[in-house]
Amino acid sequence: MIRPADIREWRGRDVVDADGHKVGPLEAVYTDTATDEPVMVTVRIGLPTRQRLVFVPLDEAVAGPDHLRVRYGKALVKKAPSIGTDDVLPAEGEEPVFRHYGLPYRPGAGGERRLARG
C-alpha cells in the first residue's frame, strides 16, 4: 500500500499500466472524504494542444523507482471519464468514474462528495 504522504510526492512522474505501458504523468491525487486515504489519481493524456485528465483508481497500485504502476490497462484508462486540465470534477461526475472501473460508489451519509483533490 502506498502511504498518503508518499503519493503526493509523485506528481509529474509517469503512471504505467499493468504491462508497463506509459499512460501519462500523474497530475493530482484524490482522497476518499470518509477515510482521508488516497483512492484515485488524475493522469494527463492527449496531444500537447488537446490534453485532458483521466481518473485512475489506486487499488493495487505499486510505486516503482520512477513510476507508479496501476492495475488497469492503458486502453481502459484512456476511455475513463475525464476533465479539462483546468477543470474540477463535479459531484455528479464521481459515480461514472467508479462505474467505469467496476468499483462500488457510495457517497457520504448526507450525500456529500466521495472524492476530494488532495
Side-chain angles (χ1 to χ4, degrees):
M1 178 68 180
I2 300 168
R3 295 187 330 228
D6 295 340
I7 191 68
R8 288 181 179 92
E9 296 173 6
W10 284 79
R11 185 169 185 218
R13 294 197 189 171
D14 288 337
V15 174
V16 300
D17 71 5
D19 294 325
H21 299 115
K22 180 181 174 183
V23 178
L26 189 148
E27 179 68 23
V29 178
Y30 283 75
T31 57
D32 186 319
T33 57
T35 65
D36 204 31
E37 293 291 322
V39 291
M40 297 243 180
V41 293
T42 51
V43 178
R44 187 180 294 264
I45 64 168
L47 300 172
T49 57
R50 294 183 40 100
Q51 293 189 337
R52 60 193 174 101
L53 302 175
V54 293
F55 290 82
V56 185
L58 287 173
D59 58 319
E60 300 181 32
V62 177
D66 59 353
H67 64 272
L68 181 68
R69 183 181 306 266
V70 295
R71 74 178 186 119
Y72 301 96
K74 182 176 180 177
L76 179 66
V77 170
K78 289 198 171 232
K79 293 178 183 174
S82 65
I83 57 174
T85 56
D86 294 326
D87 294 340
V88 176
L89 180 68
E92 61 273 5
E94 291 184 349
E95 185 172 8
V97 171
F98 283 79
R99 189 172 49 241
H100 178 76
Y101 291 102
L103 300 172
Y105 177 76
R106 282 176 248 105
E112 62 272 358
R113 300 183 70 110
R114 169 106 184 255
L115 298 174
R117 185 174 170 155

